[in-house]
Structure formats: C-alpha cells, structure tokens
Amino acid sequence: MNYAENLWLFLLLLTGIVVVPGMDMIYVLASALSGGKRAGLAATTGMMAGGAIHTIFGTLGTGALVALVPQLFTPLLIVGAAYMVWIGISLVRSSITVEAVQTGAARRLSSTFGQALATCLLNPKAYLFVIAVFPQFLKPQYGSLLMQGTVMGLMTMAVQGVVYGSVALAGHGARHALVANPGVTRAIGRGAGLLLIAAAIFTLAHELR
C-alpha cells in the first residue's frame, strides 16, 4: 500500500468515527440550538482545536505511552466520562431559552469554545481512535513522522469542520423555529444533556468492560 492509499484509508476511518453521533456532536448541536450559529461554530472550532491536539498526542506516541503505562488509561476514561456527565447535568438543569441567549452572547462564545475544547480532549472515543488507529498509519517508510502527523491532523480538523459545522448550521436553522417556543427549547437542551450523560456512561462502561 502506497502513501496515498494509506491516507485514503485513514480518511475513511476518520470520517466514519466523526459522523457517528457522540458527545462532541451533541455538544455542538446543543450550543447551536441555545446560542445560535456563532455559538455552534465556536463549539465546532473548539472541537477542531481538540482534534489538532489529539493528533499531536498521536504523533508523539500516545499509543506507545499507553502500552508502556496502561494504568494511565483507566483514570483518563473516568475523568473524561465524569466531565461529560457534568456538562450533561448542566444542560439538564438549565432553563435557558433562545431569546435569553442574546444577552452577553460575545462573552459566552469564549466559554463555548473552551468547553468544546475540553469536551473533545476528554472524550474517551477520541483517545481510543488515536491509540488504536494512529500507530497503524504513521509509518517510517512514508517519510517524516512529523510531516505525516501534520497531514493527518489537517485531515482531522477538516472532517470535524465539515461535519460539526454542518450540525451547527442545522441547529441554527432549527433555532429560528423555536424562538416562539421557549418550552420546547428547554426540553431540547435537557434532552441533549441526558443524551450526553448516557453517551458518557455507555462509553465508559463499554471500554472498562
């Protein structure tokens, strides 16, 4: 298999992972529904930044680290799942409405970005992807590992941008129909929170098993 085929296979696996609804996608959608397009895109940008950092971890040998120190992986899964549950509980307890988000929106964008970045970095699915997949595609025969990692990182950010950006815009479009229905907005936000909690618990239980 040549380098081009190697990249195409990586892109296929990467796209398959990103398009599957999970904690990252739920957070982007919830941000767009509650804060509009700018909030949704801020969350998308946070996820892309997290993807870049995951790529750095993968390139520098996350797989080797976990192989050498496997006891670090379980605490990482627990911390990540706990953070996802905390965000989910925050959404469930929230009484935010579409109109209420307009005040202080600029201040909230940085918070949305930061939470999205943390969500991505603490998402067990992302670490599993890096640990399981990156060692299979970073190969010395294709040249510099740093250059290969850079290309894979750019591909990761591009796929995240397209998928999560589309989710953000879809959420923003739906948001206009919810302006006159604050009760529905609250229900959607709380539903997203419950999904986030369920996804975190399911992921943790599955991987620990």
Side-chain angles (χ1 to χ4, degrees):
M1 182 169 59
N2 59 39
Y3 183 50
E5 292 172 337
N6 185 69
L7 286 180
W8 276 113
L9 183 56
F10 172 75
L11 179 62
L12 179 63
L13 291 174
L14 172 66
T15 303
I17 290 292
V18 174
V19 299
V20 174
M23 291 176 279
D24 292 358
M25 187 178 292
I26 292 170
Y27 184 78
V28 170
L29 179 59
S31 298
L33 285 172
S34 63
K37 178 170 63 176
R38 294 181 65 191
L41 293 179
T44 298
T45 305
M47 296 301 174
M48 293 170 66
I53 295 174
H54 278 304
T55 300
I56 294 173
F57 289 162
T59 305
L60 294 179
T62 300
L65 175 63
V66 173
L68 294 173
V69 196
Q71 61 268 32
L72 292 180
F73 190 55
T74 296
L76 178 64
L77 286 175
I78 295 173
V79 170
Y83 183 77
M84 297 304 103
V85 169
W86 178 77
I87 292 182
I89 292 174
S90 298
L91 287 171
V92 170
R93 297 178 60 185
S94 174
S95 60
I96 196 168
T97 64
V98 170
E99 292 180 322
V101 181
Q102 300 302 324
T103 302
R107 179 183 60 82
R108 286 180 52 84
L109 290 179
S110 60
S111 175
T112 299
F113 174 88
Q115 280 199 336
L117 175 60
T119 298
C120 184
L121 291 180
L122 293 175
N123 186 348
K125 183 177 75 171
Y127 282 99
L128 289 172
F129 177 77
V130 168
I131 292 166
V133 173
F134 267 54
Q136 301 179 45
F137 290 91
L138 287 171
K139 300 179 179 179
Q141 61 263 37
Y142 296 144
S144 168
L145 293 182
L146 177 59
M147 183 59 66
Q148 292 181 56
T150 300
V151 172
M152 291 167 65
L154 292 174
M155 291 171 67
T156 299
M157 294 176 68
V159 172
Q160 288 177 314
V162 171
V163 174
Y164 295 147
S166 298
V167 170
L169 294 177
H172 172 68
R175 182 174 178 271
H176 290 296
L178 299 174
V179 173
N181 299 281
V184 176
T185 307
R186 284 192 291 268
I188 290 175
R190 289 168 181 170
L194 290 173
L195 285 174
L196 201 61
I197 293 171
I201 293 174
F202 175 80
T203 302
L204 179 63
H206 175 75
E207 298 309 328
L208 290 181
R209 184 176 69 251

